[in-house]
Amino acid sequence: MVLEGKSVFGGIAIGRLSIYNKKENQVKREKITDVEAEITRFTDAKETAKEQLKGFYKKAVKEVGEVNAAIFEVHQMMLDDLDYVESITNMIRTQEVNAEFAVASTGDNFSKMFAAMDDDYMKERAADVKDISNRVISILQNAENGSVTGEEPVILLADDLAPSETVQLDKSKVLSFVTRHGSTNSHTAILARTMNIPALIGIDFSEDVNGKMGIVDGYTGTLYIEPDEEIMKKYEAKKAEDENKKRLLLELKGKENVTLDGKKINLYANIGGVADVANALSNDAGGIGLFRSEFLYLESEDYPTEEAQFAAYKTVAENMAGKKVIIRTLDIGADKQVDYFHMEKEENPAMGYRAIRICLDRPEIFKTQLRAIYRASYYGTISIMFPMIISVKEVKRIKEIVAEVKAELTAEGIPFKDCELGIMIETPAAVMISDLLAEEVDFFSIGTNDLTQYTLAIDRQNPKLDSFYDSHHEAILRMLQMVVDNGHKHGCWVGICGELGADTTLTSTFLKMGFDELSVSPAMILRVREEIRNTKVEE
């Protein structure tokens, strides 16, 4: 039997199919007499759930980095959401029902409410509220969650996998995962890609496949169930070829990023926090092309101090031993919400109060971060990059604030180095005025994820639009060329730090366009290097 779906991460997996059975929480409505004791039961279970999620966060940080682990902090915040908590406690108090029933009912109500919203970010919260509600119910019932049983590694099949379930899996027992639902841009998909597990979504499997032999082809999005001998031999050879390619890639360590006809390009790593530096170095990154500084804010319960930020930036600068480190200033908002910023809910957060808009609106937060970065610059080679720019006016204001920070540090006798200043090109507006912007900054780095989303008017988080989302769209490619041309004409070097930079089908195109730098996830550095070294630009 052959089933077709969508690939989340490439690779070949061969093994037994195992259906991940979630422990369903059977909830009955019961009349209670001691209302306050029942509310205390709920509150205790809620706090236990938050402690569990803190544990998942720490585990996920080690496995997939701070940015991808942030979903567990979102879940902790959702558990403390006043509307959610009051709905549960009010139901217990007024209807005199057990905590399990109140949590289940509220979870269902909130999930339906989120699912019915027009905003796609809020729609995705429907699954999250079900996940946290099930967690609280499991604690109230002293129930265990689903897991992988047996010693033999398996291809895991599930209706869908919540991020908390994915991070709890014993990775040594999972060859691949296959789900009926989910989107190619969901949190779980990102976790799968980061963990290098071949994964498929949109596979409509039946329950009777449990225990049968299977093959996952992560390149074509295909699941083979009980393959015949010929198919099995073909994929065993393909798997061996994949493993051989990985070994060959390791031989590329220490080699230059230079084409067959002598064109060089810088190949840097995108990282989500201090813990990711080791991964960048082990994959031979020439520098850090995108250091997402927002992890410091996402993992903190209050605004991170100048000292805390300085310590993190200094550590990265020192560990990179003089190699370039490009720190992107605070980029929260949209799908990265931070409770203590007290931001109002927005109809369309992707186009709302986010990134540089917050920094320019709240300069005290911005200056604290810039002071920390400039202090850290003394210990390495740091560049600073500003996200979501749409005007020259914004850049001029940023440079005024930078000048104020440098003057303060000089007056205080604190040593620092001058830093290159650059901007993210991730809006069509920035593309169209890139000639003007180039006169104000030292470099451009193109955020292709948001640029594609804004140019095509497609929410990349919406699975219904996956077939319309085209990062190779001619409009995007023309924009990339326009930015390179304008940047070079006015003295800027130009790079890509969006996921498109790791798309090896476009590597030769980027070289021909004249890009100076590509910044990709650490795991992709050697693959992109191989493509560069096998390319002849003139051809």
Side-chain angles (χ1 to χ4, degrees):
M1 188 190 303
V2 182
L3 300 177
E4 299 290 340
K6 285 181 188 170
S7 172
V8 167
F9 191 77
I12 305 295
I14 301 172
R16 297 270 166 210
L17 303 173
S18 175
I19 293 178
Y20 179 87
N21 289 313
K22 302 188 186 192
K23 295 283 190 290
E24 289 298 325
N25 299 308
Q26 296 298 322
V27 176
K28 292 180 182 175
R29 180 181 181 128
E30 293 174 10
K31 181 90 170 169
I32 51 110
T33 51
D34 192 339
V35 166
E36 295 309 318
E38 200 65 15
I39 288 172
T40 301
R41 265 189 81 225
F42 159 66
T43 306
D44 290 346
K46 176 171 75 75
E47 292 306 311
T48 302
K50 281 167 62 182
E51 286 305 310
Q52 287 181 1
L53 289 164
K54 280 180 189 171
F56 296 157
Y57 175 80
K58 286 177 184 171
K59 188 170 188 286
V61 162
K62 289 176 188 169
E63 291 180 353
V64 297
E66 284 91 345
V67 171
N68 293 323
I71 183 62
F72 300 114
E73 295 195 308
V74 172
H75 281 198
Q76 288 175 61
M77 289 189 279
M78 288 178 84
L79 276 169
D80 279 332
D81 180 80
L82 204 57
D83 293 332
Y84 177 76
V85 172
E86 283 183 351
S87 174
I88 293 166
T89 53
N90 184 59
M91 195 176 291
I92 294 170
R93 190 171 274 118
T94 58
Q95 298 181 30
E96 296 180 340
V97 292
N98 53 321
E100 290 90 335
F101 182 81
V103 173
S105 298
T106 298
D108 285 344
N109 291 342
F110 273 60
S111 181
K112 285 172 188 168
M113 179 174 69
F114 284 135
M117 288 184 176
D118 289 331
D119 183 87
D120 289 305
Y121 171 78
M122 298 310 292
K123 278 182 180 175
E124 288 216 354
R125 301 285 74 79
D128 292 330
V129 79
K130 289 280 271 188
D131 194 26
I132 62 167
S133 299
N134 285 335
R135 178 162 305 284
V136 174
I137 293 166
S138 293
I139 293 163
L140 286 165
Q141 295 180 335
N142 293 315
E144 291 183 10
N145 289 315
S147 62
V148 181
T149 55
E151 294 305 311
E152 181 190 5
V154 294
I155 294 168
L156 197 66
L157 277 62
D159 197 48
D160 198 0
L161 283 167
S164 58
E165 291 166 332
T166 311
V167 83
Q168 287 178 88
L169 296 174
D170 180 347
K171 307 302 181 301
S172 65
K173 292 182 183 176
V174 182
L175 300 169
S176 163
F177 74 68
V178 176
T179 63
R180 290 191 180 105
H181 306 296
S183 104
T184 51
N185 293 300
S186 66
H187 294 290
T188 307
I190 292 166
L191 288 167
R193 282 194 288 267
T194 313
M195 295 184 302
N196 291 325
I197 298 175
L200 309 178
I201 60 169
I203 297 280
D204 192 16
F205 59 86
S206 57
E207 300 295 314
D208 62 1
V209 302
N210 197 44
K212 292 179 179 177
M213 202 65 186
I215 297 172
V216 168
D217 185 337
Y219 300 111
T220 63
T222 310
L223 173 66
Y224 294 88
I225 298 163
E226 291 190 312
D228 60 31
E229 194 176 339
E230 187 184 343
I231 293 284
M232 185 64 86
K233 278 184 180 174
K234 174 187 164 185
Y235 275 97
E236 282 171 347
K238 201 169 169 63
K239 190 168 187 292
E241 188 186 333
D242 265 13
E243 285 165 2
N244 191 41
K245 276 184 182 173
K246 283 178 189 172
R247 281 193 293 274
L248 288 172
L249 283 175
L250 291 175
E251 293 174 14
L252 288 168
K253 283 194 173 185
K255 301 281 173 68
E256 282 193 299
N257 309 305
V258 60
T259 64
L260 292 169
D261 48 351
K263 180 175 172 61
K264 290 185 180 180
I265 189 167
N266 289 317
L267 196 49
Y268 293 169
N270 296 335
I271 65 169
V274 179
D276 297 337
V277 173
N279 204 6
L281 289 171
S282 67
N283 281 283
D284 210 21
I288 302 298
L290 170 61
F291 178 7
R292 301 178 177 98
S293 67
E294 54 271 12
F295 88 94
L296 287 161
Y297 297 80
L298 288 165
E299 70 177 14
S300 179
E301 292 179 5
D302 203 348
Y303 297 102
T305 63
E306 182 182 319
E307 288 306 317
Q309 293 189 63
F310 164 64
Y313 305 144
K314 175 175 177 277
T315 300
V316 174
E318 287 178 333
N319 288 352
M320 291 306 292
K323 292 179 178 176
K324 186 176 287 188
V325 176
I326 301 175
I327 298 174
R328 180 177 71 188
T329 58
L330 175 62
D331 186 13
I332 64 161
D335 60 339
K336 289 175 281 192
Q337 296 292 321
V338 180
D339 228 17
Y340 55 84
F341 272 72
H342 304 297
M343 295 192 292
E344 293 175 11
K345 286 182 181 175
E346 298 178 282
E347 287 294 321
N348 193 347
M351 293 189 179
Y353 188 59
R354 58 177 294 199
I356 201 65
R357 297 163 186 179
I358 295 172
C359 291
L360 293 179
D361 189 50
R362 305 185 188 184
E364 69 286 352
I365 297 170
F366 194 30
K367 286 180 85 168
T368 299
Q369 180 172 34
L370 288 172
R371 280 180 61 93
I373 294 172
Y374 269 101
R375 285 174 59 194
S377 71
Y378 184 72
Y379 301 89
T381 307
I382 288 179
S383 300
I384 310 173
M385 180 161 71
F386 306 99
M388 280 297 288
I389 296 297
I390 60 168
S391 70
V392 172
K393 180 183 170 186
E394 289 169 331
V395 178
K396 286 184 182 293
R397 179 62 188 131
I398 288 165
K399 288 164 80 175
E400 287 172 4
I401 295 171
V402 165
E404 290 169 17
V405 166
K406 288 161 76 174
E408 285 174 12
L409 293 173
T410 301
E412 293 167 30
I414 296 172
F416 65 88
K417 293 181 192 171
D418 259 335
C419 299
E420 272 188 325
L421 299 182
I423 60 170
M424 295 275 288
I425 302 285
E426 49 194 333
T427 65
V431 173
M432 297 310 294
I433 60 165
S434 52
D435 56 333
L436 304 176
L437 292 167
E439 294 179 352
E440 300 291 333
V441 295
D442 301 304
F443 68 94
F444 290 153
S445 190
I446 302 176
T448 53
N449 305 9
D450 270 335
L451 182 59
T452 304
Q453 172 171 255
Y454 294 136
T455 303
L456 303 184
I458 286 177
D459 180 358
R460 59 193 171 97
Q461 300 281 353
N462 186 342
K464 287 182 182 175
L465 300 175
D466 280 353
S467 61
F468 295 94
Y469 185 88
D470 178 13
S471 56
H472 291 211
H473 195 290
E474 182 64 25
I476 305 299
L477 298 179
R478 287 188 189 188
M479 284 180 158
L480 298 185
Q481 187 67 70
M482 185 179 180
V483 173
V484 172
D485 292 345
N486 282 335
H488 287 173
K489 201 183 296 178
H490 298 277
C492 265
W493 66 261
V494 185
I496 294 178
C497 64
E499 285 200 20
L500 201 61
D503 185 338
T504 52
T505 66
L506 286 175
T507 303
S508 59
T509 303
F510 296 148
L511 288 162
K512 192 174 179 182
M513 284 178 171
F515 277 98
D516 304 289
E517 177 247 26
L518 297 174
S519 190
V520 301
S521 67
M524 286 301 295
I525 286 169
L526 295 175
R527 289 190 209 179
V528 176
R529 176 174 295 165
E530 180 184 40
E531 194 65 32
I532 291 167
R533 291 174 64 84
N534 288 331
T535 297
K536 200 166 187 177
V537 180
E538 293 310 312
E539 290 178 0

